[in-house]
Structure formats: structure tokens, C-alpha cells
Amino acid sequence: MSEQDVGMLGLGVMGRNLALNLADKGFSVSGYDAWPDPVDAFVAAAANDAGLGGRSAKGWKALPELVASLRRPRRIIMLVKAGEVVDKTIASLVPLLEPGDLLIDGGNEFFLNTERRARELAAHELRFFGMGVSGGEEGARHGPSLMPGGDRAGYDELAPMLTKIAAQADGPCVTYVGPGGSGHYVKMVHNGIEYGDMQLIAEAYDILKHVGGLSNAELADTFDEWNRGELQSYLIEITADIFRKADPEQAGAALLDQVSDAASMKGTGKWAVQQAAEVGAPVPTIASAVDARVLSSQRELRTRMQLLPGPKPTTRRDPQLVGDVRAALYTAKTSAYAQGMALLRAASDANDWQLNLSELARIWTGGCIIRAQFLGRIKQAFIREPALPNLLLDESFQRELAERQASFRRVLALGTELGIPLPAHASALAYYDTLRRPRLPQNLTQAQRDYFGAHTYERLDRSGTFHSEWAPKSSARPPGS
């Protein structure tokens, strides 16, 4: 009998937890996976939960059985590997579905793939949503931040379900993002900001440990203190926990000190940098974070590069350092979020998505990885001025950046002096300094382009496009010139 409210296709950790979340909130769920073990694990998890079982959660090992179990119009959430696996999964589903059925891709997918699939499925009269899901396995189980994009009428149909399973902070952490692939685009930018935030925290740790000489216990206490102030966020909170974790393999050792320093990534940060270039919205702090992960993975090359001359970090127990790093981290974090919001505005304008930036900041206040206290203030900034071209222009953030700027510059100078790389902090400050400059050196860049390629240039003193012969009249040059 077709009675289940929603299907969950893909029962890995995220899919299983989101399915159990749905069941917890009163929705009957049918789960399916291409492999039998995840199905068994889902059924067992539902059976072990006193509030679930029976009609609330059922597992299926054949796709036709999953589809047949759902009431019409069917609603199916996919949480499978992005790319080719999604296409193959959709190809298997289409013959089993009927006009009006709704398919939701909850994975980290490239937004143009989402738009292509929406067009292809529309030809079969099937509705398709691309929905960003943030919060990791814990968020999926107890309340993620959800970023759905697609047809508005389809969202209105899904809203009673999505608002219940989303995290609750200043309301449900879900909103209608916009049409097409906008939901996955917003999740991509969320992840890009996450890359930048994590790199900034890593750099703060680096200078506090190797210049400030703080032990892991002292770092944990410092981050705990920061988490009670303006830096309060999920990432700061978990970082304090990481500093305290003992190595189960070595008595008296910290687990963090044994973790490889080669960081990996899955692609969303790279996509964010690429798309920023496409719409002309620079995100240098996100780009620096991507570069830092790539460089970290080149461990053999870095081993050889130790031959290069340069200063060595020396410990300086300066009581001012912790406060300076705190101020620098907050200022750089603000710059990184400003870059991400500017990218969203540019993409919204380019694609006519009409993104509501205050709403996006609101749904990121809970459930997601970048949730932080100051997202509430970002929300208020865009409520005060919906057309705000850049977050750094908001008066409240201007004041805070002015108060912390000297500390920020001292930290960067110290890192440069002692050979501590701070690429994300440096790019955050360069973004700030570039935007506040009334005159940039790209006049020289334009002159160079016109010199070697006749690309023309514009003048400040009169309108029009110009080309000049920049070379000396005589082509004869002295030897060695």
C-alpha cells in the first residue's frame, strides 16, 4: 500500500540520520540504498529508537519497492555522491515515477548540473529541487540548515516537512532560496566561507602555538574564552574540544599533534573560487584557503623546500599576542563573510535569482557548520539596507574593524617577520585595503596591456577609449636595456 510520506534514497550517515530526523518529526519514511548493509543499519537504528519503528520507518532493498511504498505525489530525497552517481540514480528512477512527483537532490552538487537535471526532468513532468544540507551527521539527525532551490510551488508543498526537520534558531533554519540551481549555489558559497573560516582558525592556532608558545591546554582555554564573546561559533567551539582530545595510542600525548597536516577537500571551495571569477566577485580569502589545502598536500615538496633560507619562528610570551590574534581573527572572519555575501549578490544579479541575503544569514545561524553569533548581526545589516553592496560598509562592522585594525596589522607583521604563513589573514586585509583605496595601481596594468596588445584604456579626465604608442620613437636601445 502506498502510504509513506517521503523516500530517502541513499542511507549513508547523512541519509540515514536525515531519514531518522524525518521520522522523529512525525513523517513516515521509506529508505533505500544500493547496498543492503546501510538498509539494515537504518532499520535497526529506527527499531532501537523508542519513538520510531512500525509505519514511521521502513527499509527497502529494491528501488521499485521504495517507489511503490510512497503516497502520491511522491517525494524522494537523494543523498548520494554528486556527479555521475546522481545522473545514474535519476535514470533509474524516471521510469518508476509519474507526472507531479518531486525529486530532491540533497548532496553537494554543482549548481549547473542541478539546472540541467531540472530541465531534463521537466520534460517528464517531474519536479526537481537542489537542496543544500549543512550540519554534518549531527545536524542531519537533529536539525540541519537547509537551502532548497527550485519551483516556488514545490517549495510551498515541502515547507511543512522542511520547517520541522530544520534546526530551530530565530525560526526554522530553512527558507525558499530561489529558482533553478540557486539552492546548491548558496550551499557552495556557504562551504567556501567555511573553507576560509577554517583556514583563518588554523592560522590563529599556528601563531599562538609557535610564536606565543601556548600549550594545547592553554589553546583550549583560550578558544573556550573566545567562544563566549564576539567569536562565538560552532567552529571555535569544536576547535577547543580538539585541543583537549588525548591520543588513545600514546599516553600523555595530544591526538592533534599526531594528525597529518595534509588537508583534503571535496570540491565546493574550488567551485566557489571559479564561480567568483565568472561573476566578477573576488573571494581572495576563500581562494587562499583552497590554495593552503593544496600546498599542505604537497608534503614531499615541502620537505625539500626546507632548504630555502628564511626566519625561524621564535617563542615570544607577549601578553598582548592573544588579544591581537583574537582581534585579527574576528576582523579577517568579517572580511571572509563579506566576500561570500558579495559573491551571492553578484550571482543573484547575474542569474536573476533575487536572493534574500538577510534570510540566508538567518538560516545559517543554526544547524550549519558556519553558524556563528555574528550571523545575526549580518542578518540585521541586510535588513537595514537590503541593497548593501558590501557588508564592510555597514556602520556597525565599520566601527569594529576600526577598533581592531591595529591588532590585525601587528599580527600580520609578526607573521611576516618570523616566517609564519598567514595567507588567509593577509588576503582578508588586502581585500579590505583594496576596497578602501581611491586609486589603485591598475592604471599601470592598463597601460601595459595597451602597450603590448593595443587593448586600449580609458582616461580619468575625459570620456572615451584611447590607444597610445608607448614605445620610444627610436627602436634602437642601448645594450642591456
Side-chain angles (χ1 to χ4, degrees), residues 15 17 183-184 209 215 271 320 385:
N17 282 356
H184 275 146
K209 183 177 182 67
S215 67
W271 293 342
Q320 185 181 30
E385 189 176 346

Side-chain angles (χ1 to χ4, degrees), residues 55 61 74 104 125 160 213 241 333 390 403 417 458 472 480:
R55 178 178 177 273
K61 297 180 181 179
R74 302 175 181 92
I104 306 157
E125 299 182 71
D241 291 341
K333 180 186 179 84
N390 193 287
E403 293 167 358
E417 177 190 349
E458 295 178 350

Side-chain angles (χ1 to χ4, degrees), residues 333-354:
K333 180 186 179 84
T334 303
S335 178
Y337 278 68
Q339 293 165 37
M341 302 308 280
L343 171 54
L344 288 175
R345 182 176 295 289
S348 180
D349 292 344
N351 295 284
D352 194 25
W353 284 336
Q354 300 182 34

Side-chain angles (χ1 to χ4, degrees), residues 412-480:
L412 282 173
L414 184 60
T416 301
E417 177 190 349
L418 298 179
I420 300 285
L422 303 173
H425 279 81
S427 66
L429 183 59
Y431 180 80
Y432 173 86
D433 280 340
T434 300
L435 288 178
R436 70 182 187 85
R437 286 284 300 280
R439 180 83 163 141
L440 294 170
Q442 273 62 48
N443 56 327
L444 177 58
T445 303
Q446 286 297 86
Q448 291 170 330
R449 294 179 71 245
D450 190 52
Y451 189 119
F452 64 68
H455 292 295
T456 72
Y457 60 93
E458 295 178 350
R459 294 180 61 100
L460 296 176
D461 55 354
R462 59 182 184 270
S463 60
T465 301
F466 300 89
H467 167 64
S468 297
E469 294 296 334
W470 298 89
K473 290 183 178 179
S474 171
S475 59
R477 293 173 180 259

